[in-house]
Every structure is written in C-alpha cells, then in structure tokens.
Amino acid sequence: MRLRSALAAVLGAGVLIVTTAASASAAAGQFRYDYVTVEGYEASGFLNSPPNGQCLNLPGVGEDNPQPGHAPKNRTDAWATVFTDANCEGNSFTLRPHTGGASERLKLRSVVFN
C-alpha cells in the first residue's frame, strides 16, 4: 500500500513539474507598438504574454499595410528583439525586459522574445 502512495506522489509531482514548465514558455506582460492603419488612422497594437522563442508577425502591420509599426514598448519579463521586416528578417534591435522602449523612428513588423 505504501508503494502505491509513493508512486502516486511521484507521478503527481511529475505532472506538476511538466505543467509549470509549459506555462513558463510565455513572456509575462505586454508588448505594445503604434502604427497607422491602411485607412490612415493612428492605432496601438499589443501582444499579451507572447510565447518565447517564436517569431511573431505583428497584427496591423502585415503585407496589406505598407506602413510598419513604430515606438515599441517591451513591458514583458523577457528580452524582445524587433525586426524591420516580417518573419523576423531585416535589421533588428533588442529591447530589455520591463522598461525597454524606442522612439517612433524605430520601425518594426515582427518580434521574437527570449
């Protein structure tokens, strides 16, 4: 009977570790940026708790919009590398966690968090 209890405790701990590791794969916080819509309106875009290690093309500044995003603000707990082109291509700039930001002169279309 004790062997079953010990086995159940080990399995429970293993499930807890796997669950905790999976939730840690996202950058906690928010990444914000500004852009001009296709119609010419000022807008703000944001990503809440974005995944780590995955290239993200920013909504609103894709191929259908000739205007890139600008003035990014990294309020996540991970480093953010922004790129001038989609699919994390082109020139890049790194923003530190929590307080990283740049002026409207920095243009961007994609980002990856590390």
Side-chain angles (χ1 to χ4, degrees):
M1 193 64 146
R2 288 185 180 168
L3 182 59
R4 282 188 188 167
S5 296
L7 183 60
V10 169
L11 287 175
V15 170
L16 183 61
I17 289 171
V18 170
T19 304
T20 304
S23 65
S25 65
Q30 188 177 72
F31 178 83
R32 300 185 63 85
Y33 58 98
D34 296 329
Y35 66 99
V36 177
T37 66
V38 176
E39 296 82 16
Y41 299 108
E42 291 285 331
S44 291
F46 57 91
L47 302 171
N48 288 320
S49 298
N52 280 328
Q54 179 181 344
C55 180
L56 302 170
N57 290 325
L58 299 173
V61 295
E63 294 176 3
D64 57 330
N65 188 348
Q67 299 280 336
H70 59 273
K73 292 169 185 57
N74 183 20
R75 302 300 183 252
T76 71
D77 63 355
W79 289 87
T81 304
V82 297
F83 294 84
T84 55
D85 296 329
N87 303 314
C88 295
E89 295 180 355
N91 295 328
S92 65
F93 187 81
T94 303
L95 303 171
R96 68 177 163 250
H98 303 292
T99 59
S103 73
E104 64 184 37
R105 293 185 304 159
L106 180 62
K107 307 301 183 192
L108 67 152
R109 289 191 185 273
S110 57
V111 63
V112 65
F113 296 87
N114 299 317

